[in-house]
Every structure is written in C-alpha cells, then in structure tokens.
C-alpha cells in the first residue's frame, strides 16, 4: 500500500554510520514505493541556539549527505523545514490544544531539563507540537522513528486525534511508526557502550577520511582479550563485531569470531580489517559528498524544488485547517 511517509532530521551535525545503516538506507528503499517527505529540521535545531554561520553550514552538510547516500529528489520530496513557513502556522494552531502538563511530562523534555537546566526554553517544551505539525501537515500515515522518538510520535497521534475530536472531523490520519519489515539495525559506538551518536564523539562520520577512520577504529575501546575458550564477549568487543557485521564480508566476520572464541584473536588485526572495510563502504559516499558540496547550483535547485513541492502539500492542509477552525472570508 502506498503510504505517506514523513521524516525529519535535526541539523545539528554531520551524519554518522548509525544514521546511514539505521535509517537512510531504508529511506532509499521507501522512496520507490511511497509518497515520501524527507526534511532537515532546522527550526528544531534552534532549541540549542546555533550561531548563524553554523546553522547554514549544518543544513547544507546534511542536505548534501542525504543526496550522496542516494535520496533521490525526483522520487522523494527533499526539503528544508524553514522553507515551509506553513508548518509554523499549524504549530501555532496545534499549540492551543497542547497542554503544558502533558508537554512537561515528555521524556525528552525532562532529560533536557536535567542536562541543560540553563536553557529550558518554550521551544523545547513545545518541541513535540512542532514535530506533530511537521508530520500531520502532509497527512502522513507512517513515520520511520527510532526508540527515542516513539513518545513524540505517540503525542503526534494524540494531537491529531484531539483536533479531529474537537472539530468533529475525520481530517488528520493518526500516523504509525514505519515498519521496515526487518530488524532495525543499530550501530553501536566505538567507546564501548551505547549507540553511535554525533555528540558523544564515539562515531564514524560519513565524511571521515580514510586516515580519520583508521585513527578512530584503532583507538576504539576493547578489553584485555578472552582467557577461556568460548568466553562471552564484553560489550565493547561485541560492538566492534556488530559494526563489522554491517560492513565486512561474512567470511571475514566468521574468521575473527572463530579467532575470538579460540582465544587467538589479536584486536589490532580485527581493527585493521574493520577500518579497511569501513573505508571501502564509505569511500563512494564521501567522494559523492565532496562533489555535491562543491556544486552549490545543484543544491540550490534541490531545495527550491523540494521546498515548492512541500509547500504545496502544506498550504493545502493549512487552508483546510483554517476553514475547519472557523476562519472564514468576509
Ligand atoms: N525529533 C526528531 C529527532 O530528533 C527530528 C524530527 C523533527 C522529526 N520533526 C520530525 C522526525 C518529523 C520525524 C518526523 O530525531
């Protein structure tokens, strides 16, 4: 069935291996069969107060990275959130029926308060409302989200349902999480715990040079090595194998697993192999990325056309929503 899919990514840094294998590779498949909207959430990015020069640079970087990975602007609508001001109007309208209590109870908000008590701004509080506006403005039916965004999607459904109930309409669909039809690939970080992220300094970026990749992998956390045959792996070692499962040939991963379980493994060899296999996987993307980053004309055309397509869809919704709410012409 043809779904309307919406996915946003905050423009707060470069994309890493986890973004690619966890999400973007699936987007490339989805864009063939669905009506897809992929956008760069540069309004959401303002909650952390980026410097003006950084804001633009980050948007450009992610846009180019999406294109380098294979998101096709002729198949999907690829756009920048702030090019579609209609979303801010829908956000305002939805805010009137979003309750401070429920927003304060959001897990991501509570975490922000804990981590950044000096910057608890209203934009953070209403972050889920803006995200709901992003999604329902295109009447999305599916949203590909990771675990950390499930609650936001739940709130999106609630805001959509609430609107329908208040006005006695069946206007907004309630979007579900996109089911990739296979197990979600999670890429762990190189620092021994947790998943790969951009802030933790534990990741491999799509734009990393071969030298940078070698350096990061060689200094990844391991342990002192197995001392008993068949010994279970520690978290950091398991993580290196998980990354290897994604980028290396099966014979290679089998070989190193065997070495591990027979206590003959040398982590240095494993890391060298992993680094080279990462380089093989990422080099085509990095080369394409550099080409695209140098082609401002192309980037300008992509955002212009994407923005126009997204605005068309968004403007229709806002027009209809205004009518439903009771804004009428004289
Ligand atoms: N909140 C998402 C994140 O931090 C980004 C996002 C903004 C988004 N708007 C969205 C994701 C709409 C999906 C749909 O990752």
């Amino acid at each position: 069935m043809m779904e309307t899919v919406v996915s946003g990514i905050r423009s707060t840094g470069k994309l890493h291996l986890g973004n690619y294998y966890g999400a973007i590779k699936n987007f490339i498949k989805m864009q063939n069969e669905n009506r897809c909207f992929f956008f760069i959430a540069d309004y959401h990015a303002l909650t952390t107060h980026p410097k003006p020069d950084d804001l633009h640079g980050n948007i450009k970087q992610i846009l180019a990275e999406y294109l380098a990975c294979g998101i096709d602007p002729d198949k999907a609508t690829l756009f920048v959130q702030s090019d579609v001001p209609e979303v801010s109007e829908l956000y305002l309208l939805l805010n009137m029926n979003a309750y401070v209590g429920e927003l304060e109870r959001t897990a991501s908000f509570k975490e922000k308060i804990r981590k950044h008590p000096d910057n608890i701004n209203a934009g953070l509080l209403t972050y889920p409302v803006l995200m709901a506006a992003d999604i329902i403005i295109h009447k999305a039916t599916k949203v590909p989200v990771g675990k950390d965004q499930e609650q936001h999607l739940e709130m999106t459904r609630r805001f959509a349902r609430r609107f329908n109930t208040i006005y006695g309409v069946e206007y907004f669909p309630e979007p579900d999480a996109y089911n990739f039809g296979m197990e979600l690939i999670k890429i762990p970080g190189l620092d021994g715990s947790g998943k790969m992220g951009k802030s933790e300094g534990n990741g491999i970026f799509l734009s990393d040079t071969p030298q940078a990749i070698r350096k990061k992998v060689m200094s990844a956390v391991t342990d002192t090595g197995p001392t008993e045959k068949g010994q279970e792996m520690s978290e950091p070692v398991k993580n290196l194998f998980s990354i290897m499962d994604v980028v290396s040939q099966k014979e290679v991963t089998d070989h190193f697993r065997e070495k591990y379980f027979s206590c003959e493994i040398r982590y240095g060899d494993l890391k060298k192999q992993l680094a080279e296999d990462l380089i093989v996987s990422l080099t085509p993307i990095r080369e394409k990325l550099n080409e695209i980053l140098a082609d401002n004309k192309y980037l300008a055309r992509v955002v212009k056309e994407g923005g126009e397509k997204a605005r068309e869809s968004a403007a229709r919704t806002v027009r209809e929503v205004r009518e439903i709410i009771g804004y009428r012409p004289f």
Side-chain angles (χ1 to χ4, degrees):
M1 181 177 139
M2 166 94 127
E3 306 278 4
T4 297
V5 178
V6 170
S7 179
I9 181 157
R10 263 174 313 148
S11 50
T12 50
K14 304 167 184 176
L15 297 183
H16 51 71
L17 206 69
N19 297 120
Y20 181 62
Y21 287 102
I24 304 172
K25 273 199 105 165
N26 292 306
F27 294 176
I28 292 159
K29 270 184 249 152
M30 277 189 250
Q31 67 185 353
N32 294 317
E33 291 135 34
N34 301 288
R35 177 175 172 251
C36 287
F37 293 88
F38 299 131
F39 71 95
I40 296 160
D42 62 340
Y43 281 148
H44 282 103
L46 292 186
T47 57
T48 54
H49 305 163
K51 294 197 183 73
D53 289 338
D54 292 343
L55 183 65
H56 178 74
N58 286 339
I59 296 165
K60 180 178 171 183
Q61 181 75 20
I62 296 196
L63 180 73
E65 285 176 332
Y66 264 22
L67 292 163
C69 289
I71 290 186
D72 182 346
D74 291 326
K75 292 179 180 164
T77 300
L78 175 59
F79 66 102
V80 177
Q81 186 183 33
S82 64
D83 283 340
V84 185
E86 285 79 4
V87 79
S88 60
E89 181 169 354
L90 183 60
Y91 164 61
L92 179 149
L93 298 171
L94 292 176
N95 264 327
M96 303 304 167
N97 295 303
Y99 292 96
V100 171
E102 64 188 336
L103 297 174
E104 281 174 340
R105 282 192 299 275
T106 313
S108 59
F109 182 67
K110 288 199 279 195
E111 190 186 317
K112 291 280 184 213
I113 292 184
R114 202 165 42 76
K115 285 196 179 154
H116 308 284
D118 52 330
N119 181 26
I120 310 169
N121 61 66
L124 269 181
L125 182 69
T126 56
Y127 185 109
V129 188
L130 180 56
M131 179 160 160
D134 288 329
I135 295 169
I136 68 178
I137 205 162
H138 303 296
K139 298 186 147 190
T141 52
K142 294 282 176 196
V143 183
V145 287
K147 262 246 159 304
D148 61 325
Q149 297 296 314
E150 265 170 11
Q151 191 182 25
H152 289 156
L153 184 57
E154 179 85 44
M155 294 172 82
T156 299
R157 280 195 289 272
R158 199 189 311 149
F159 296 141
R161 196 179 323 128
R162 196 173 287 164
F163 180 92
N164 291 345
T165 308
I166 290 173
Y167 295 105
V169 291
E170 285 280 332
Y171 186 69
F172 287 120
E174 288 180 37
D176 296 313
Y178 195 97
N179 186 348
F180 291 117
M182 50 168 171
E183 214 185 312
L184 262 187
I185 298 175
K186 277 204 208 83
I187 305 285
L190 296 173
D191 55 358
S193 68
K195 65 174 194 177
M196 194 173 280
K198 39 190 154 199
S199 44
E200 291 100 85
N202 66 359
I204 305 269
F205 295 111
L206 302 184
S207 51
D208 277 347
T209 59
Q211 298 91 289
I213 293 174
R214 286 191 193 104
K215 197 163 160 227
K216 287 184 184 179
V217 174
M218 293 318 286
S219 54
V221 175
T222 52
D223 56 25
T224 51
T227 50
E228 265 173 60
K229 287 197 174 156
Q231 185 179 322
E232 221 194 290
M233 289 181 193
S234 66
E235 188 76 16
V237 173
K238 222 189 270 171
N239 288 351
L240 291 185
F241 274 99
S242 300
I243 301 175
M244 197 172 226
D245 282 333
V246 175
V247 295
S248 303
Q249 303 284 335
K250 186 165 182 312
E251 302 82 76
V252 173
T253 56
D254 283 350
H255 167 79
F256 282 101
R257 277 207 169 83
E258 208 182 290
K259 289 274 176 207
Y260 178 90
F261 287 117
S262 61
C263 294
E264 291 167 283
I265 193 158
R266 282 197 304 210
Y267 291 141
D269 295 344
L270 170 92
K271 286 175 167 182
K272 265 188 211 138
Q273 179 75 42
L274 177 58
E276 295 317 305
D277 290 342
L278 278 164
I279 291 165
V280 169
S281 302
L282 292 182
T283 295
I285 296 177
R286 191 185 69 258
E287 287 175 353
K288 187 97 194 282
L289 173 63
N290 290 334
E291 247 171 63
I292 294 172
L293 280 172
D295 193 348
N296 249 322
K297 259 204 190 130
Y298 172 63
L299 288 170
R301 182 158 55 85
V302 169
V303 287
K304 181 169 180 286
E305 292 176 3
E308 283 168 0
K309 275 199 277 174
R311 274 196 93 167
E312 212 180 288
S313 157
R316 184 180 324 120
T317 303
V318 169
R319 188 172 357 96
E320 291 168 354
V321 164
R322 290 178 66 115
E323 237 165 72
I324 292 170
I325 289 181
Y327 291 114
R328 309 223 161 111
F330 281 96

